[in-house]
């Protein structure tokens, strides 16, 4: 059982308890536990096995939860969940996937109309019976019908951040062309830099809300109007993405932007802190908890005003996940997060010598145009035969060309870019690396990656990676877990062991910036930082255009709380060159 498996069981339990009408406090406790567990990099089994520690040391895990975790680890099951699952129709979980239908509403439909499947819900909507249930209306009924089709369709997949970002840029450009829009910003998971985005959330201030909504619906890319009101509308836009737009008053813009940026967990914490200060807080701003309060409620036109009124520093959206950000903001200890402009080099990229689309010279010129001071050319090694990987002879020839290119560049101008002779060497299935040590020893920069034998057992995969970490020529482990978002899960690897070994050997770990990799992810990168491992944010570009994904890697690093000190390629060339000197180990 991985931590994610255990967390999923508690999430399911929370859903079913809520469905069952259990009190909100208990439901929230299970959801909070699921989050703590999912965020925990160390395996629960290891913590339990350690005599000096206890599961109850984890935030929000009391004796009862610890006992339940123990049962799950021992048996793979959670008896309370089994018992509850037995009592509800099997299709309740399908119904819970419909956007906008929480456990409580699903319960009303099940009890009120005998709904027990997506089909029977559709029938009830078409028959106009849903609008008769308390709290539902004609509009909700229509919304359910549309969302039903969506749940059944394939479009339900969450979009990669970069794809969502494209849609955000387009819709903002369109909306900013509307004269009635005073201000409009994007919020939600997009603004928090999440690796995938479910729907896009926009918040606007308008001189004429009706005109703004009309403009929104009239957009060329609007394929469907899901909901249409004066303060809130939802459309379906490019890539089948839902886009929600709220119009708010300017005086509450900060409160609304904060609210719709989320996350939900962050909002809950901010709101409870507001209560401690004697205010209630929602998307409309602060209100006194007791109407005849003496003081005027704080203003909420900007996010900073809202945070400051609660004794908090403004919190970057990437950190708003309900982890420890409020405590850090209260103590003015928020990390100064790394920014894209801090990045001075790019240390993983390919050329037409293997599976890249652009030549060595083009990649170098592209990198120089991006203002980089140094790059490493790291084409594939021979094992990657599909990509025409380099054997020793071809690699040495490429390195000769790089030597000559560096001379030309140095002669060309005042701020030449330095090109490092690198290689992305494969960790072989049987162990060992794909090129001789005497070749690797001559490289300026070696990335070791695992591309083959991904279904080997955990011990094998972990051992292969540990071996590479300890190899004297290897500087960094490329895309350490191998996951491809929405396509392929990570291979089975003991990341705790990888991080510990990297810390010990002084080997770096990559944050691969490719939008479908983002590997390390935010949890692993945060754990690596805590262990004292430094990271390299790399584009793994296969074309000049591919160099542009650096910002996706930086976002992920920010979500992990990384500062420029944690990021090796935030060093200027001189410092980086010093770091490349012979290693002590
Ligand atoms: P997504 O769209 O699934 O990628 O994730 P988000 O975070 O964009 O979530 P979404 O679109 O459902 O809602 C946007 C934000 O609005 C969310 O991050 C926090 C806020 N929000 C939505 N529903 C609730 C709620 O029930 N309670 C609280 N406190 N905040 C909520
Ligand atoms: Ca959203
Ligand atoms: Ca939304
Ligand atoms: Zn690569």
């Amino acid at each position: 059982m991985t931590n994610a498996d255990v967390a999923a069981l508690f999430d399911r339990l929370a859903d079913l308890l809520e469905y069952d009408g259990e009190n909100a406090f208990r439901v929230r406790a299970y959801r909070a536990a699921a989050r703590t567990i999912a965020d925990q990099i160390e395996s629960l089994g290891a913590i339990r096995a350690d005599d000096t520690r206890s599961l109850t040391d984890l935030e929000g895990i009391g004796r009862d939860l610890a006992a339940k975790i123990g049962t799950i680890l021992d048996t793979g099951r959670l008896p309370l969940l089994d018992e509850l699952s037995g009592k509800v129709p099997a299709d309740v979980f399908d119904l819970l996937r419909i956007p906008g239908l929480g456990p409580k509403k699903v319960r009303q439909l099940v009890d009120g109309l005998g709904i027990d499947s997506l089909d029977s819900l559709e029938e009830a909507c078409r028959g106009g019976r849903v609008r008769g249930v308390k709290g539902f209306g004609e509009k909700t009924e229509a919304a359910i019908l549309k969302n039903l089709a969506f749940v059944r369709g394939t479009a339900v997949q969450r979009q990669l951040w970069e794809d969502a970002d494209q849609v955000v840029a387009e819709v903002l450009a369109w909306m900013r062309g509307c004269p009635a829009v005073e201000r409009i910003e994007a919020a939600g998971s997009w603004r928090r830099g999440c690796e995938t985005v479910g729907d896009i959330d926009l918040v606007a201030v308008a001189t004429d809300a009706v005109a703004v909504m009309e403009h929104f619906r009239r957009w060329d890319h609007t394929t469907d109007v899901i909901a249409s009101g004066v303060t809130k509308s939802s459309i379906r836009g490019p890539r089948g993405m839902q886009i929600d737009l709220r119009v708010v008053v300017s005086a509450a813009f900060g409160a609304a932007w904060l609210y719709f940026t989320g996350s939900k967990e962050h909002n809950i914490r901010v709101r409870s802190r507001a209560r401690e200060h004697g205010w209630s807080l929602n998307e409309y701003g602060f209100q006194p908890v007791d109407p005849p309060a003496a003081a005027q409620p704080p203003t909420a036109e900007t996010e900073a005003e809202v945070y400051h009124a609660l004794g908090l520093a403004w919190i970057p959206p990437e950190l708003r996940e309900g982890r420890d950000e409020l405590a850090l903001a209260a103590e003015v200890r928020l990390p100064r997060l790394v920014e894209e402009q801090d990045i001075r080099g790019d240390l993983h990229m390919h050329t037409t010598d293997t599976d890249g689309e652009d030549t060595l010279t083009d990649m170098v010129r592209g990198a120089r145009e991006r203002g980089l001071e140094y790059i490493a050319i790291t084409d594939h090694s021979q094992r990657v035969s599909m990509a025409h990987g380099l054997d020793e002879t071809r690699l040495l020839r490429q390195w000769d060309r790089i030597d000559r290119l560096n001379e030309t560049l140095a002669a060309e101008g005042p701020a030449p870019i330095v090109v490092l002779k690198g290689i992305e060497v494969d960790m072989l299935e049987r162990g060992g690396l794909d090129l001789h040590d005497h070749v690797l020893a001559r490289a300026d920069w070696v990335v070791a990656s695992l591309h083959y034998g991904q279904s080997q057992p955990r011990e094998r995969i972990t051992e292969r990676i540990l071996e590479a970490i300890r190899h004297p020529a290897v500087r960094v482990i490329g895309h350490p877990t191998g996951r491809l978002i929405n396509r392929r899960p990570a291979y089975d690897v003991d990341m705790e062991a990888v991080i510990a070994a990297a810390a010990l050997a002084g080997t770096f770990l990559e944050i691969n910036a490719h939008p479908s990799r983002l590997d390390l992810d935010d949890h692993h990168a945060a754990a690596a930082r805590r262990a004292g491992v430094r990271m390299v944010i790399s584009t793994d570009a296969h074309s000049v255009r591919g160099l542009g994904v650096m910002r996706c890697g930086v976002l992920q690093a920010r979500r992990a709380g990384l500062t420029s000190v944690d990021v090796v390629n935030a060093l200027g060339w001189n410092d980086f060159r010093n770091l490349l000197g012979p290693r002590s180990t």
Side-chain angles (χ1 to χ4, degrees):
M1 278 294 216
T2 66
N3 291 1
D5 296 332
V6 177
L9 288 180
F10 281 116
D11 260 329
R12 224 172 151 85
L13 179 60
D15 277 344
L16 283 188
L17 284 171
E18 193 176 342
Y19 177 84
D20 218 29
E22 182 62 64
N23 79 57
F25 179 76
R26 187 148 172 242
V27 171
R28 217 177 301 135
Y30 282 117
R31 287 206 206 285
R35 291 182 45 74
T36 305
I37 293 166
D39 282 347
Q40 188 66 33
I41 167 91
E42 209 177 352
S43 87
L44 295 173
I47 296 176
R48 189 174 60 148
D50 187 341
D51 285 336
T52 64
R53 290 183 307 161
S54 157
L55 290 170
T56 53
D57 298 341
L58 299 176
E59 195 195 327
I61 308 288
R63 298 236 316 267
D64 172 63
L65 275 164
K68 285 193 167 68
I69 294 171
T71 310
I72 296 173
L73 292 175
D74 289 335
T75 66
R77 309 209 66 85
L78 178 54
L80 178 58
L81 177 61
D82 290 346
E83 186 190 314
L84 285 168
S85 304
K87 290 201 299 190
V88 304
D91 286 328
V92 157
F93 286 102
D94 283 345
L95 298 171
L96 286 171
R97 283 174 52 222
I98 300 172
L101 277 190
K104 278 191 203 123
K105 289 206 151 163
V106 169
R107 180 62 187 256
Q108 280 180 282
L109 293 172
V110 171
D111 287 352
L113 300 173
I115 305 287
D116 60 2
S117 65
L118 294 179
D119 286 340
S120 63
L121 178 57
E122 179 168 5
E123 225 178 278
C125 286
R126 294 207 187 286
R129 285 182 286 133
V130 167
R131 69 186 71 164
V133 178
K134 187 164 174 278
F136 291 76
E138 248 176 87
K139 273 192 190 164
T140 340
E141 194 175 75
I144 292 174
L145 263 180
K146 277 185 179 153
N147 287 332
L148 258 173
F150 198 64
V151 167
R152 287 197 175 111
T154 49
V156 81
Q157 217 175 37
R158 298 170 61 83
Q159 299 288 324
L160 296 179
W161 183 87
E162 204 202 24
D163 294 334
D165 180 58
Q166 183 92 42
V167 180
V168 168
E170 285 173 31
V171 72
L172 284 180
W174 168 252
M175 292 307 296
R176 284 181 178 143
C178 171
V181 167
E182 276 179 29
R183 177 169 190 193
I184 184 161
E185 303 287 351
S189 50
W190 169 82
R191 186 169 178 231
R192 302 200 308 281
C194 295
E195 58 196 33
T196 62
V197 173
D199 69 12
I200 293 169
D201 304 278
L202 305 176
V203 188
V205 176
T207 50
D208 177 354
V210 174
V212 169
M213 292 308 186
E214 162 70 19
H215 189 82
F216 187 45
R217 290 190 298 268
R218 253 192 15 238
W219 187 31
D220 267 357
H221 298 286
T222 301
T223 57
D224 192 8
V225 177
I226 299 163
S228 156
V230 177
T231 58
K232 183 188 166 187
S233 293
S234 296
I235 60 150
R236 183 122 9 243
R239 299 181 161 272
M241 290 200 84
Q242 179 173 328
I243 308 176
D244 297 340
L245 169 62
R246 276 92 171 178
V247 173
V248 302
V249 296
S250 153
F253 183 80
W257 200 16
L258 194 159
Y259 180 89
F260 292 114
T261 295
S263 65
K264 206 161 160 177
E265 291 71 20
H266 178 80
N267 288 354
I268 287 167
R269 285 169 203 221
V270 172
R271 201 161 52 207
S272 83
R273 195 173 167 97
R275 293 232 154 227
E276 288 162 20
H277 281 68
W279 309 108
S280 79
L281 173 66
N282 57 25
E283 61 268 47
Y284 306 111
F286 289 103
Q287 280 87 37
V289 174
D290 270 335
Q296 278 282 37
T299 53
E301 192 167 351
T302 67
E303 282 190 337
E305 281 173 0
V306 177
Y307 284 117
H308 293 168
L310 303 177
L312 300 169
W314 179 82
I315 300 175
E318 297 92 335
L319 295 180
R320 301 184 194 171
E321 292 295 343
R323 295 172 186 160
D324 57 356
E325 69 270 15
L326 259 60
L328 294 175
E331 297 161 20
V332 203
R333 286 199 299 121
L334 285 168
R336 200 194 136 305
L337 300 179
V338 61
E339 294 172 17
E340 196 187 352
Q341 69 205 41
D342 294 332
I343 300 297
R344 315 283 280 275
D346 190 346
L347 297 166
H348 183 166
M349 68 185 67
H350 300 266
T351 74
T352 43
D353 289 345
T354 63
D355 60 350
E357 291 168 25
D358 289 317
T359 63
L360 171 63
T361 321
D362 286 344
M363 292 302 284
V364 172
R365 298 208 185 282
R368 192 169 55 172
E369 270 161 35
R370 302 193 70 83
L372 294 174
E373 296 175 23
Y374 54 94
I375 60 170
I377 300 295
T378 57
D379 265 316
H380 288 292
S381 63
Q382 55 200 356
R383 173 68 186 87
V384 191
S385 47
M386 268 171 47
H388 199 35
L390 303 175
D391 59 18
E392 183 174 330
T393 315
R394 288 175 59 222
L395 179 60
L396 293 177
R397 239 185 272 146
Q398 186 191 56
W399 286 353
D400 280 341
R401 277 157 54 218
I402 292 176
D403 280 337
R404 289 201 300 274
L405 191 57
N406 274 323
E407 285 163 21
T408 318
L409 286 166
E412 256 179 36
I417 184 169
V418 178
V419 186
L420 299 175
K421 291 175 283 190
I423 182 74
E424 178 177 17
V425 65
D426 253 61
M427 305 171 194
L428 299 175
E429 291 100 308
R430 59 168 189 275
L433 298 175
D434 194 22
L435 287 163
H436 285 300
D437 288 354
H438 70 264
V439 182
L440 294 176
R442 289 176 58 186
D444 297 323
W445 183 255
V446 176
V447 182
S449 301
L450 191 151
H451 294 111
Y452 293 91
Q454 297 203 13
S455 51
Q456 288 179 349
R458 184 180 179 86
E459 301 72 48
R460 252 333 271 141
I461 299 229
T462 305
E463 190 43 50
R464 285 164 70 192
I465 298 178
L466 295 190
E467 195 189 353
I469 286 174
R470 294 173 187 139
H471 191 288
V474 172
R475 297 290 186 167
V476 59
I477 303 302
H479 42 73
T481 79
R483 63 110 173 235
L484 290 175
I485 300 169
N486 285 349
R487 298 216 300 271
R488 186 177 78 199
Y491 36 69
D492 196 2
V493 52
D494 181 349
M495 277 308 287
E496 205 190 318
V498 166
I499 289 169
L504 196 65
T507 304
F508 309 126
L509 296 179
E510 181 178 83
I511 295 180
N512 191 295
H514 192 283
S516 31
R517 287 200 183 269
L518 298 175
D519 179 9
L520 305 175
D521 69 10
D522 53 341
H523 300 291
H524 287 139
R529 177 184 195 235
R530 286 194 296 272
V533 174
R534 292 172 81 189
M535 280 154 275
V536 181
I537 308 177
S538 295
T539 61
D540 197 357
H542 284 67
S543 65
V544 170
R545 206 171 58 86
L547 295 167
V549 302
M550 185 60 82
R551 64 198 184 113
C552 304
V554 170
L555 261 184
Q556 196 74 355
R558 290 170 63 84
R559 288 177 55 77
L562 267 52
T563 69
S564 59
V565 176
D566 302 309
V567 178
V568 175
N569 52 318
L571 291 173
W573 166 242
N574 283 329
D575 291 329
F576 182 70
R577 183 175 47 193
N578 289 338
L579 177 126
L580 282 181
R583 284 199 292 183
S584 48
T585 48

